[in-house]
Amino acid sequence: MLPAAASASAVSSAGSPAPFDQGRYQVRFEWGAAGLERLAAADVVVVVDVLVTSDEASAIASASDALVLRGGLRNAGAVADAVLAEQGRRGARASIAVIGAGAGERTGLRFAVEDLLGAGAVIDALTARGIDHTSPEAAAACESFRGLRGAVRHLLTASATGQELVAAGRRDEALAAAEIDADTAVPVLRHRPAAPPA
């Protein structure tokens, strides 16, 4: 993980965009609030926190003045439809930051396979709707989901976070979170009305 100082607003000494901001791509992918800071500003932020709502999701939502949606496996298609509708409302191409919340607030942010798959599902749904100018990071998350789609239920229950839920007698929650496109609701964590097109 890069230090938070490598923020999206950072520029190289030559005046070009920072190499980690993914600003030349419409769809970007990063991890946590620090990752959001590294990215170029986006019109829409999709927070992916598949199994457990973490403090990292509240921090991500408050760190952006964009439209912030919550997405994952269960509502990937609905999130993509909401992003497409926002783009239409704006009358211009919208930039999208997909942010994996990660897990492990007690031990610091760590990789969470469930959030990688959830982010990949959202990016895959965006791609299916023609929003496909993705960064390499976003493309890799998308392909992870595509390649592992058939194993999502097993991966969610077998993951570290899934095993925590299983041990707590909450296996059904992990299985429910693995249902792809089971929901049409898209929680809005933060809304900033966009200015109408000029």
Side-chain angles (χ1 to χ4, degrees), residues 7-185:
S7 69
S9 61
V11 292
S12 72
S13 58
S16 60
F20 298 105
D21 74 3
Q22 301 177 38
R24 61 185 154 188
Y25 301 101
Q26 184 178 11
V27 182
R28 307 150 191 170
F29 175 63
E30 253 290 3
W31 288 97
L36 179 61
E37 287 179 20
R38 276 190 292 278
L39 294 180
D43 301 312
V44 180
V45 174
V46 180
V47 178
V48 178
D49 197 8
V50 171
L51 286 180
V52 179
T53 302
S54 67
D55 292 339
E56 190 70 17
S58 301
I60 294 165
S62 64
S64 176
D65 63 356
L67 170 62
V68 182
L69 308 174
R70 178 156 181 193
L73 294 161
R74 289 186 62 88
N75 69 346
V79 168
D81 289 339
V83 170
L84 198 59
E86 175 67 8
Q87 182 169 272
R89 190 176 74 77
R90 296 172 66 86
R93 188 173 97 152
S95 55
I96 305 106
V98 180
I99 306 294
E105 297 121 29
R106 297 179 303 275
T107 57
L109 181 66
R110 68 170 172 78
F111 173 85
V113 69
E114 64 273 11
D115 294 344
L116 176 70
L117 294 170
V122 169
I123 296 163
D124 182 56
L126 288 168
T127 299
R129 286 153 180 81
I131 302 176
D132 58 1
H133 187 229
T134 59
S135 70
E137 293 81 359
C142 180
E143 289 305 317
S144 293
F145 167 72
R146 287 178 180 167
L148 297 169
R149 182 180 183 132
V152 164
R153 286 170 52 93
H154 166 72
L155 292 170
L156 261 61
T157 56
S159 71
T161 311
Q163 285 297 292
E164 282 186 325
L165 291 176
V166 169
R170 298 165 55 193
R171 182 174 186 269
D172 288 348
E173 289 180 37
L175 292 174
E179 294 178 20
I180 300 166
D181 286 329
D183 289 337
T184 57

